[in-house]
Amino acid sequence: MGFLHDRLTEAKDAVAAGQPEQAAETIVHALLEGPGTFDQNLTDIVSENPDK
């Protein structure tokens, strides 16, 4: 899950840097451009970060 994992890491870094808009943009990009369908990508991102 390299692409999605990398985008999730970028989004977390953006939030930590005080840039929530950039984090949201990164997540939307990952959902739309990731390796699976939008729904599959969303499921994969949520399952990688289940506590949030």
Side-chain angles (χ1 to χ4, degrees), residues 3-52:
F3 176 81
L4 294 177
H5 176 78
D6 292 348
R7 298 301 81 75
L8 183 58
T9 299
E10 286 177 20
K12 288 178 180 181
D13 291 347
V15 169
Q19 299 174 336
E21 295 87 2
Q22 180 63 43
E25 184 178 317
T26 299
I27 293 297
V28 169
H29 172 75
L31 295 175
L32 294 172
E33 302 297 329
T37 66
F38 182 93
D39 290 343
Q40 290 168 333
N41 294 334
L42 179 58
T43 299
D44 289 346
I45 284 177
V46 170
S47 68
E48 185 169 327
N49 196 32
D51 61 328
K52 301 292 177 195

